[in-house]
Amino acid sequence: MGSGTELKAVGRCAGCTVKSEGLFCDLGIGALQELSRIRVESSYPKGARLFEEQDAPGGIYILCQGRVKLSMTSSEGKSVILRIAEPGEVLGLHAAVSGRPYQARAETLEPSVVSFVRREDFLRFLQENPESSLRAAQQLSRNYQSACERVRSLGLAHSAEGKLAGFLLLWATKGRPSPQGTRVVLALTHEEIGQMIGLSRETVTRTMSDFQRRQLVARRGATLVIQNKDALAQFAGI
Amino acid sequence: MKAKVSLSLAEICEGLSPATCEEFQLLGKRRAYPRGFTLFRTGESCAGIFWIVSGRVRTSTGGAENISQLAQPGEILGLKEALCGEAYSLSAETNGPAEVSFVSLEDLSVFLAGHPDAAFRIVQRLSGYLGLILEHLRSALRRSSPSN
């Protein structure tokens, strides 16, 4: 499994041509063959909805290529992005395991290849393959951590600078060092960043410009360079 | 907010056969600790899980927003880190004399590989925790002030 906008047919999991370090990508050959048997692969355009909040849990979606936005909306219409799923992640895991409705909306951010596994097949797969259960447990733990971060960013009386600085530092953990600072791809709009940290689009734009003016960050297209981590950490109170 | 995912022995054993549950309990090396003994510190690489047999263990997140909690007998500490191969995200120190059973990563892996029902039980419990925090998130979203 891998990212990129040029989509490739994934084929069977055991001989996957776009394999990454995904949740189930490096299971043993027997488990991969079983997974290939029970999944159905589909391609989706940008903006496709895989599932909606409160939909009955039909199964899990394994993201083979592309990126998917997982968001939640309150009864007052306020949205928060839980996370941006990357290739290899499993979507709808909590709903499939618990049998409760999906807690989030899943929408493709770019053309994506996704494998669907029916809930009953997935539960049987987990129970017959302890290694896959452990992988599922790992992802649930990470999803839990990610949700905690979202609660934190909404619940604490952080300033806009603090919220954005905390978000950028978290995002920078996926980056690579360079002479100018940590380089990371941040292919999110200011509106999407705002939905992740509870700020309006205008506030994100204003605060980002302020950070750029102070040379804490630099942005060229989808590439962000974190130039001054210490200053951002001070804003974030870390 | 740092995640404290500490399942209890009862939660894991629920639905398992008594023999499997007993086997799990026998995996660990039990030891009595005096008050104030540090079981693990934030950032240390995870060596395994700690099941509190008796006494209490104080966990703390450290940092500016230090959150301190008392773990009770039956609770298992370090499970999230053991499953994810991460460093401990909390520090744990005995709050008084305590008996704690330590299960190494290797022993835990072998046990779970041989007991799909136990592995699946952990998935179910973690899913339950995730459901709770998602409900909490929905409440926080409702309460959050209008966007700045």
Side-chain angles (χ1 to χ4, degrees), chain A residues 62-83:
Chain A
I62 304 172
L63 179 57
C64 298
Q65 291 181 75
R67 291 183 314 137
V68 170
K69 176 172 78 175
L70 289 151
S71 62
M72 182 184 264
T73 307
S74 74
S75 49
E76 292 78 22
K78 240 183 285 180
S79 286
V80 63
I81 295 179
L82 295 174
R83 61 196 167 88

Side-chain angles (χ1 to χ4, degrees), chain A residues 87-165:
Chain A
E89 284 192 49
V90 173
L91 315 175
L93 190 54
H94 163 64
V97 171
S98 67
R100 305 180 80 177
Y102 294 111
Q103 291 289 309
R105 165 191 289 177
E107 180 181 346
T108 55
L109 282 175
E110 57 192 55
S112 300
V113 176
V114 178
S115 287
F116 174 75
V117 180
R118 289 191 315 151
R119 179 170 181 254
E120 50 268 45
D121 290 337
F122 179 63
L123 293 180
R124 198 182 60 248
F125 176 69
L126 284 186
Q127 289 175 76
E128 290 172 356
N129 295 278
E131 193 188 354
S132 64
S133 279
L134 295 182
R135 303 295 171 84
Q138 288 171 2
Q139 183 164 329
L140 286 166
S141 295
R142 290 184 183 128
N143 293 355
Y144 182 88
Q145 182 72 50
S146 167
C148 285
E149 293 298 333
R150 293 281 90 79
V151 173
R152 180 180 183 272
S153 67
L154 284 173
L156 293 182
H158 266 172
S159 63
E161 289 86 355
K163 286 182 174 180
L164 185 60

Side-chain angles (χ1 to χ4, degrees), chain B:
Chain B
M1 180 187 280
K2 287 190 181 178
K4 178 178 180 273
V5 183
S6 66
L7 301 187
S8 69
L9 184 69
E11 285 176 304
I12 292 178
C13 284
E14 192 186 326
L16 297 182
S17 71
T20 304
C21 186
E22 192 181 343
E23 192 182 331
F24 180 73
Q25 292 181 58
L26 291 174
L27 274 183
K29 295 176 181 63
R30 288 191 188 198
R31 193 178 147 187
Y33 294 95
R35 177 191 171 91
F37 187 89
T38 299
L39 298 175
F40 54 84
R41 288 193 173 87
T42 307
E44 282 181 0
S45 62
C46 177
I49 60 172
F50 294 82
W51 162 48
I52 306 167
V53 181
S54 66
R56 287 175 175 72
V57 173
R58 182 168 295 281
T59 61
S60 54
T61 59
E65 53 154 9
N66 187 29
I67 298 168
S68 186
Q69 289 182 323
L70 269 187
Q72 309 291 323
E75 277 193 60
I76 294 172
L77 303 174
L79 185 60
K80 177 176 84 75
E81 293 86 346
L83 293 172
C84 296
E86 295 171 347
Y88 292 113
S89 59
L90 305 166
S91 294
E93 181 184 302
T94 54
N95 199 50
E99 189 181 4
V100 179
S101 179
F102 172 74
V103 181
S104 71
L105 275 184
E106 191 182 354
D107 287 346
L108 180 66
S109 299
V110 170
F111 173 79
L112 292 176
H115 294 86
D117 49 347
F120 185 66
R121 183 72 199 139
I122 288 174
V123 171
Q124 288 180 311
R125 292 310 306 162
L126 289 174
S127 178
Y129 272 89
L130 180 59
L132 290 176
I133 196 70
L134 288 174
E135 281 174 24
H136 191 50
L137 177 58
R138 201 177 288 282
S139 303
L141 185 60
R142 205 176 301 127
R143 285 195 309 268
S144 68
S145 56
S147 300
N148 309 52

